[in-house]
Amino acid sequence: MKIRRLAIQNFRRFSAPLVIDQIGDGLTVLAGDNEEGKSTILRALRAALFDRHRLSKDLARGFVPFNAEVQPEVAVDFEIGGQAYRLRKGFYQQPYAELQTPRE
């Protein structure tokens, strides 16, 4: 699997949309100072790929930015065998999961 794009909105410290795109082949490094959100980006990726969209309210509440009542959302575009896929998940208020495949 090759990750090509990651979009995060209303996830922990990222209230505004954050998009990491144009991820090419090879090694990708997240670098930055402390408290800039590197761990949050990795947690969002983990949530998209491995967590159920219908987490318990307590666990999903941990994704919501401090002092907000919004829908945490994560989208990952990736390739498997040269085929493009998009996985989108929303947590907490109205949980959803959507997978777009080459066949739709």
Side-chain angles (χ1 to χ4, degrees), residues 20-71:
I20 302 171
D21 59 359
Q22 299 180 358
I23 301 172
D25 293 342
L27 182 65
T28 300
V29 177
L30 288 176
D33 291 332
N34 291 340
E35 300 300 319
E36 285 192 347
K38 299 177 299 293
S39 295
T40 300
I41 291 168
L42 294 176
R43 183 61 183 104
L45 180 60
R46 178 180 164 206
L49 296 176
F50 300 109
D51 289 344
R52 298 172 58 95
H53 63 287
R54 294 189 184 274
L55 289 172
S56 72
K57 285 285 187 186
D58 290 338
L59 291 175
R61 180 76 177 123
F63 296 160
V64 178
F66 179 72
N67 226 8
E69 287 295 323
V70 293
Q71 175 88 6

